[in-house]
Amino acid sequence: MANDSTSDYFALVSSHGEEHIDSQAIEAGLLAAIADTGAQASRRQEYISMILSRFVYSVQDRHTARATSLALTLLKTLGRQIDDTNELGTERAISGLLSLALDLKSQVEIDNEQADYAVDGCNEALTCVANTMLLLPKCRPLFADIHGADTINKILQSGATQTTAFLCGRCLFLSIESPKSAEYCVDDLDLPKTLAQTICGFLDRESDKSDRFSPQQVMNELFKAAMSLCVYYPRDTPQGSSDDALSPEHAVKLLDILQISLDTLFALPLANGHLADPARQAIGIALNFPTLSPDPILHCWLPPKSSGAESERYRYVDRIYHLFATLAATSDESYKAEITPLALVLVRLVTEQPDVRQRLFYRVYPQNTEDYSALPEDRPGLSGTLVRLMRIPEGGMLSGAIGDFLLALLGQDVSKFILAVGYGNAAGYMLARGIAIPDSVIRQVRESVDSNLVDPVTGRYLDQDMDRELANMTDEEKEREAERLFVLFERLNKTGFIKVDNPVRTAMESGRFQEIDEESS
């Protein structure tokens, strides 16, 4: 028989068979096996089955929490390279590992001497489950079939370290991938409440240096699980509706997730000028919710006034707007992905809440401050910044989201929208959204603002555009410009995008144009 003090665990088991092995020999053998996992590659599946049989399916070698933790560490290492034939991907293995994780978690308060090992063992068991679902996606439905989320819910409810909570979030995120699994988590487990309470516990927590994951990393992973619930929970969106928000009835069931998302956005500062990772997840989650009804949803977005403090009612709106305005003012294009969801959330708030629209309108367009002597994109303040963002080449979703926000802010009035941003800046957005130019704009081609005329194409005082451009043009350049405009209006009429009398043709027919004699010029 091999010397128990020098044999690795697998040699130890082979030499002892079904005989009892004392805990010290098991621990020493596991440490030896962990130190030399490369030598076990050829018999990987055999050794995985051995650990499962003696530690997971039974308590045969589960003498101490330390031994169990070491065995699971070894199992995790062996399980990093698995295929469809591996036993780790079976229902029995996943169920056994989850039960073992919960059992180890319950030992933390019972055995103080082995508490740290019990926590480590719980984490290693959860890591094995998460890695298996990551490497073998086909086994994810098995997690749902055995109600694995129930075990994760219990672990989170009992209080979890940063690493344990992170791994719970990872398991939930990987496993919630169907309406059936989401409904079970929401309707049967009330998982949104557990996730919200756990996230809240990490919101103001100082980082534990001994943990593998920071509080913000933990929150981010739990928010990913919460997002999966929002995405897969049935929508019941009315047929023909373009709004993909959750129905009010279903949104109420996820109310705790909305509340913690808004609280996170309110509490977390920008990190190096960017949204912190949990805040990015939170704003994405908020996009799934309506703002109008029922009252619990409305009061999440706009808490009832307390002691007459108006700022309290709008604290979440103001915070989202502040983040939006701050990020929009940066010139770094890496911020585009962060600005877009903020803009889309504001679009919903502005569209559905008239008081929010009025509040934000005067922040974007302060009274008596619009400078119509400058082009809209050159104006100071946020209004000019937003027009510039609309003009970004290949702006993608950002340009559309900014256009949606400004149009909603202006009460969906296309005429005001064109005057505010200039048709030249609005044309691409309007074409992408299928918005036609209103007849009133086509007929008037201008509108009175403080007794001055504003050119809807540029969004600037008409006389300044004409004076500046005409003063620097020769007669030949004026004629070429007239010909260019003539061709342009003819093309627009032929495409059907606008139907309007060609102003150049009208001018020529009325005798207001005189052809220049090239010899005398």
Side-chain angles (χ1 to χ4, degrees), residues 273-519:
H274 288 268
L275 289 177
D277 287 339
R280 295 191 196 193
Q281 296 288 346
I283 196 65
I285 287 172
L287 266 173
N288 291 276
F289 288 85
T291 71
L292 276 174
S293 62
D295 283 349
I297 292 291
L298 172 62
H299 294 159
C300 260
W301 290 102
L302 300 169
K305 292 181 182 179
S306 58
S307 305
E310 185 181 53
S311 60
E312 276 295 295
R313 174 170 171 77
Y314 295 105
R315 65 177 182 268
Y316 297 128
V317 172
D318 289 348
R319 177 59 177 170
I320 293 171
Y321 174 80
H322 170 74
L323 293 171
F324 169 71
T326 301
L327 294 174
T330 64
S331 57
D332 189 340
E333 289 201 8
S334 67
Y335 288 82
K336 290 195 297 185
E338 301 174 37
I339 301 170
T340 300
L342 290 166
L344 293 175
V345 168
L346 290 174
V347 168
R348 178 164 288 154
L349 283 163
V350 166
T351 301
E352 297 180 351
Q353 301 293 340
D355 55 331
V356 172
R357 182 171 81 85
Q358 183 178 21
R359 184 179 183 85
L360 297 189
F361 178 86
Y362 288 113
R363 295 191 179 186
V364 178
Y365 298 108
Q367 287 180 300
N368 303 318
T369 61
E370 281 299 280
D371 180 10
Y372 285 93
S373 65
L375 293 168
E377 62 268 28
D378 293 336
R379 292 172 191 161
L382 186 61
S383 65
T385 298
L386 297 181
V387 174
R388 289 194 294 276
L389 287 174
M390 285 184 64
R391 291 161 51 93
I392 293 177
E394 301 178 357
M397 290 184 63
L398 175 62
S399 298
I402 297 297
D404 291 341
F405 172 65
L406 290 175
L407 185 58
L409 205 61
L410 293 160
Q412 304 297 332
D413 188 318
V414 179
S415 299
K416 291 181 180 178
F417 176 69
I418 291 174
L419 288 174
V421 306
Y423 177 68
N425 296 320
Y429 165 78
M430 293 173 63
L431 184 61
R433 292 288 191 264
I435 301 173
I437 305 175
D439 291 340
S440 59
V441 174
I442 296 173
R443 286 194 305 269
Q444 296 171 13
V445 195
R446 60 187 67 172
E447 186 166 307
S448 175
V449 178
D450 294 334
S451 73
N452 288 292
L453 299 177
V454 175
D455 185 346
V457 175
T458 65
R460 182 171 57 177
Y461 286 137
L462 186 63
D463 57 354
Q464 289 201 331
D465 280 329
M466 293 174 62
D467 290 346
R468 186 185 69 170
E469 294 176 11
L470 291 176
N472 297 323
M473 293 174 69
T474 64
D475 288 342
E476 290 86 348
E477 288 172 333
K478 293 175 184 177
E479 183 175 15
R480 284 196 297 271
E481 181 65 13
E483 291 173 352
R484 188 186 69 81
L485 291 172
F486 181 87
V487 172
L488 175 62
F489 273 91
E490 289 297 298
R491 286 178 178 174
L492 288 172
N493 274 316
K494 286 180 181 179
T495 61
F497 189 64
I498 64 170
K499 290 294 182 182
V500 62
D501 290 338
N502 189 325
V504 183
R505 182 193 296 276
T506 302
M508 293 174 63
E509 291 174 350
S510 66
R512 284 186 287 154
F513 275 173
Q514 291 184 342
E515 189 164 349
I516 297 174
D517 184 353
E518 294 184 3
E519 293 182 359

Side-chain angles (χ1 to χ4, degrees), residues 79-84 88-89 94 126-141 143 166-167 170-175 177 221 224:
R80 285 173 178 160
Q81 295 181 12
I82 56 177
D83 55 34
D84 290 349
L88 271 175
I94 294 172
L126 292 172
T127 301
C128 288
V129 173
N131 287 351
T132 301
M133 288 195 288
L134 182 65
L135 296 171
L136 294 178
K138 75 180 187 75
C139 76
R140 295 176 189 177
F143 186 95
F166 178 93
L167 293 167
R170 175 63 57 87
C171 287
L172 290 170
F173 169 65
L174 291 171
S175 65
E177 55 178 14
E221 204 66 23
K224 285 161 64 176

